[in-house]
Each structure stands twice: as structure tokens, then as C-alpha cells.
Amino acid sequence: MKTILITGGAGFIGSHVVRRFVQQHPTSMIINLDALTYAGNLENLKDVEKAHNYAFEKVDIRDAAAVKSCFDKHQPDAVIHLAAESHVDRSIADPLAFVETNVIGTANLLNAAKELWQGAFEGKRFYHISTDEVFGALGAEGFFTEETPYSPNSPYSASKAASDHFVRAYHETYGLPVVLSNCSNNYGPNHFPEKLIPLMIHNILQGKPLPVYGDGKYTRDWLYVEDHAAAIETVFLHGQNGQTYCIGGWNEWKNIDLVHVLCDLMDKNLGHPQGQSRGLITFVKDRPGHDLRYAIDASKIYRELGWKPQETFETGLAKTIEWYLQNEAWLDNVTSGAYQTYYVKQYA
Ligand code: NAD
Ligand code: DAU
């Protein structure tokens, strides 16, 4: 039985990845290592928590000794690393938290893997999950590819870029068998309502203003989270050591157009008169250093590994909205307490 240690498995993408591996790989032991920050929620994994091949370890990746002892205990053959501070706005308010978790935490994991595997790398793999934000901002034309130079603009993307560089450096210097992927914006169930799509859904349900930054013309490429989880499984199983793979949805939307679509879908689902939710849209102060446009050319992973998204934006958004409407208790739970303080500070 192989042991696969997945970090950040209680978060948004991580929980979908953990579920997929627990269900699709019954002869592998899946260890979910997570510190359970505000973004981590074991409720996300209720349906698999009793599986024979699943275990949870509450560990903070900033704590090198705790990481090492978790590696010693479980002897993982592979690591899939998703744990991170992931929200750009929070990185602007508190950059050092991002250095600590995303840079130092990643280095702690790399060291633990290097020490455990001691150069016997056959059958071992360290897979680092990264973001398209490391490439910076695009103008109206063009796409990010695996060859695009790094040019991060926010403390979040700078910390992810630094972690990517450490992963590559451990491959070049110590021969650690690593693979990386850089993905565009995910959406879907269990997405924490600090990010655009779940924040808009939550505020529509509450009848609260819908804060659109700047002129709303910023563009993102959106991928359904299950499609990302499938891409991660594909890269994990078939990607080449030392390689990176760009993952995207071929699905670009200007924020304001996306918010309009969400408003109309929510009105339809809630039986509101069309146009009611659009009336909540409020243009607010822009995010500092806001990247104009992200877009991914995901042809390498398609050409070499055969992955492409299965959901259209229409089917993905329908599933997402349905999930939030059926899981209002989840939303209430994650938006009580500390979320309120964050929200008031961010949108004052
Ligand atoms: P998330 O914020 O929803 O979840 C992060 C998880 O990491 C949480 O469970 C949290 O408890 C855990 N965590 C945070 N700090 C930790 C620490 N110090 N020690 C241990 N665990 C810790 O994030 P997400 O949106 O699911 O993103 C997961 C990964 O994918 C991140 O590395 C992110 O950079 C990357 N990514 C995200 C997107 C996206 O659109 N959300 C796109 C591309 C890449
Ligand atoms: O591109 C991948 C990245 O996508 C991931 O690496 C990040 O972890 C993830 O958070 C996401 O980053 P973004 O900054 O693109 O996502 P966010 O949902 O915060 O914002 C999406 C767009 O919507 C962006 O242009 C900012 C805008 N926005 C966001 C919020 C929260 C608003 O206009 N209003 C808002 O209230």
C-alpha cells in the first residue's frame, strides 16, 4: 500500500483532491495534513472521514519539527502539497503570514521529504500545486504557458513564486523527484466566501451589496474545482519529474460580466424578479496592484497527458449554485465569528 500525504486537504481544492484520491485509490493510504486555519474545515470531508484508507493529521507546516514527526510516523511515498495562505486581499493586509506558510512551510516539507527519502527516490514524488498568478498580469492578448517568465505582483503571488523556485531548486540540487502545476481560478462547492464567486452568492442570499473592485473589467479564467482535481490526479500519475504543467479552463470572463451572470442565475433559482440581484452591485475601491488579466494555454497537459476540462461554465456554475443553496448551514458556519471581522475590515 502506497502512502500519499496531501497537505491543505481540509481547504477548498484540497478537500476535492483528498476525496478523489480516497475514492479512486483504495489501495493507497491518504494522509490529510492540515493546520485547520480559518480556511480549513473538516466538514468538507465528512463523507470520506471513516474510509479505511484515510487519516487526518493536524499539523502546521510552519513547524519543521511537527512536519518531520508526521513524515516519520506515516513514511509517505508521495506528497501532494496544497496547503497555503491563498487569498490575495489577505496577503496585502498581512504579507509575512504568506512568507511563513507559503515559503517556509514549503521548504519545511521539501526538507522532510529529502530527509525521509535519503536519495532513494525510485517511486517517490513531491507534487507542488501552484497558481497562474506567479506569471503576473497579461494585457488584452496572449496566454500564460510553461515558458512564461515569473513576474508576481502581490505578496500572495510572490510567496507562491518563491515556493515554486524552492521546489525546482530541490530538484536541481538534490535530485528530489518533483512535479509542479500552475492553475487558473477555481470555483465550485466548498469555496470559502472571501473569493469572488462564493462571496457574491453569499451576499445575494443575504441581500447585501456586491462589491466589484475598480471598473470590473479585470479578467480571470475559471475552472471547475473537480476538473482541477482530475488534472492534479493526472499530473500526479503521469507527469514527468522536473516538469511543470499549466492548467486552465479556456474560460475567460470579465468580473462584471461574470457577476451579471451570477445575479441572473441566482434570481432564477430563488424565484426573484430578474434584475433584483444586479441592483446590489456596488463598485468599490480597487485592489492595489490588481492584475488585469489571467489566461492559460493548457495545451501541454492536453497534448502530453490527455487532460481537458469536463464541465462547461454553464454546468459548473449550475452545480455550484445548487450546492450553496443546499448547504446554507455550511455558509452560515464559515461566515460566523472571525469572518465578520475580516469582512468589515476589507469592505469598510
Ligand atoms: P484554501 O485557502 O481554501 O485552503 C488552504 C488549506 O491550507 C486550508 O485547509 C488551510 O487550513 C491549510 N493551511 C493554511 N496554512 C497552513 C499551515 N501553515 N499549515 C498547514 N495547513 C495550512 O486554498 P485553496 O483555494 O484550496 O488553494 C489550495 C492550493 O491551490 C494553494 O496552494 C493555492 O495557492 C493553489 N491554487 C488555488 C487556486 C484557486 O483558485 N483557489 C488556483 C490555483 C492554485
Ligand atoms: O488565478 C489563480 C488564483 O485565483 C489563486 O491562486 C488564488 O488562490 C485565488 O484566490 C484566485 O485569485 P484571484 O485574486 O483572482 O481571486 P479572487 O476571487 O480574490 O478575485 C477574482 C477577481 O474578482 C479579481 O479580479 C478581484 C475581483 N474581486 C474579488 C473580490 C473578493 C472583486 O471585484 N470583488 C471582490 O469582493
Side-chain angles (χ1 to χ4, degrees):
M1 196 182 217
K2 280 212 161 201
T3 298
I4 304 169
L5 186 142
I6 300 179
T7 73
F12 166 47
I13 302 170
S15 60
H16 290 271
V17 173
V18 165
R19 178 177 301 100
R20 187 176 190 94
F21 274 78
V22 167
Q23 293 175 345
Q24 305 289 323
H25 301 272
T27 59
S28 292
M29 183 67 200
I30 309 303
I31 311 296
N32 173 13
L33 180 162
D34 199 296
L36 301 182
T37 68
Y38 78 92
N41 186 351
L42 289 176
E43 283 293 312
N44 296 347
L45 290 165
K46 265 266 166 269
D47 54 330
V48 295
E49 70 182 8
K50 295 202 167 63
H52 72 279
N53 62 335
Y54 172 77
F56 173 69
E57 290 284 353
K58 187 170 187 301
V59 173
D60 190 326
I61 60 170
R62 294 172 300 180
D63 180 345
V67 169
K68 183 180 181 321
S69 92
C70 186
F71 274 60
D72 288 344
K73 177 175 168 190
H74 292 287
Q75 304 275 311
D77 300 289
V79 176
I80 304 179
H81 174 35
L82 295 108
E85 289 291 343
S86 69
H87 191 37
V88 173
D89 294 325
R90 288 185 193 256
S91 82
I92 294 166
D94 184 8
L96 286 187
F98 285 67
V99 176
E100 284 165 12
T101 286
N102 298 357
V103 186
I104 295 171
T106 300
N108 285 337
L109 289 163
L110 288 164
N111 276 335
K114 178 168 86 66
E115 281 170 33
L116 177 69
W117 297 337
Q118 292 284 333
F121 293 141
E122 187 62 35
K124 306 289 192 265
R125 169 148 278 187
F126 189 105
Y127 180 6
H128 179 60
I129 310 300
S130 193
T131 169
D132 61 357
E133 300 204 9
V134 298
F135 301 124
L138 289 166
E141 302 286 318
F143 295 90
F144 298 134
T145 72
E146 291 77 7
E147 272 72 50
T148 305
Y150 278 36
S151 183
N153 292 317
S154 72
Y156 163 68
S157 52
S159 69
K160 290 296 291 188
S163 67
D164 292 13
H165 292 321
F166 269 95
V167 173
R168 286 164 203 275
Y170 271 63
H171 178 66
E172 294 299 326
T173 307
Y174 307 111
L176 200 76
V178 309
V179 66
L180 297 93
S181 56
N182 296 81
C183 188
S184 62
N185 288 60
N186 286 215
Y187 70 99
N190 309 98
H191 204 183
F192 194 80
E194 63 188 354
K195 310 280 169 61
L196 181 71
I197 288 180
L199 186 132
M200 294 297 160
I201 292 174
H202 179 237
N203 285 15
I204 290 169
L205 287 170
Q206 304 268 311
K208 281 169 50 177
L210 307 179
V212 173
Y213 295 161
D215 62 4
K217 302 271 173 60
Y218 297 91
T219 300
R220 297 291 182 266
D221 166 27
W222 294 93
L223 178 69
Y224 190 63
V225 64
E226 292 285 355
D227 277 326
H228 189 194
I232 288 172
E233 185 185 28
T234 302
V235 172
F236 178 74
L237 295 175
H238 307 296
Q240 297 293 308
N241 279 339
Q243 291 287 308
T244 191
Y245 298 87
C246 282
I247 303 171
W250 284 286
N251 180 35
E252 284 183 56
W253 286 81
K254 284 195 170 55
N255 293 338
I256 188 64
D257 295 338
L258 168 50
V259 172
H260 282 153
V261 169
L262 268 179
C263 285
D264 296 349
L265 286 171
M266 287 295 286
D267 284 346
K268 203 166 154 206
N269 275 279
L270 294 169
H272 290 163
Q274 278 298 309
Q276 177 169 316
S277 296
R278 286 189 186 213
L280 296 170
I281 293 172
T282 311
F283 290 92
V284 299
K285 194 161 126 297
D286 211 346
R287 173 186 278 176
H290 200 164
D291 287 333
L292 178 65
R293 176 173 164 258
Y294 304 144
I296 285 270
D297 173 357
S299 53
K300 176 178 173 182
I301 184 173
Y302 176 60
R303 195 177 57 247
E304 296 187 6
L305 308 181
W307 173 88
K308 65 177 180 359
Q310 299 302 307
E311 298 290 343
T312 64
F313 205 34
E314 203 183 347
T315 60
L317 270 186
K319 286 183 180 181
T320 304
I321 288 173
E322 189 187 347
W323 187 87
Y324 280 96
L325 294 180
Q326 287 176 357
N327 289 276
E328 282 199 54
W330 183 93
L331 256 186
D332 290 346
N333 195 16
V334 301
T335 54
S336 61
Y339 180 85
Q340 300 299 332
T341 317
Y342 161 78
Y343 196 89
V344 170
K345 212 167 152 200
Q346 177 64 22
Y347 296 99

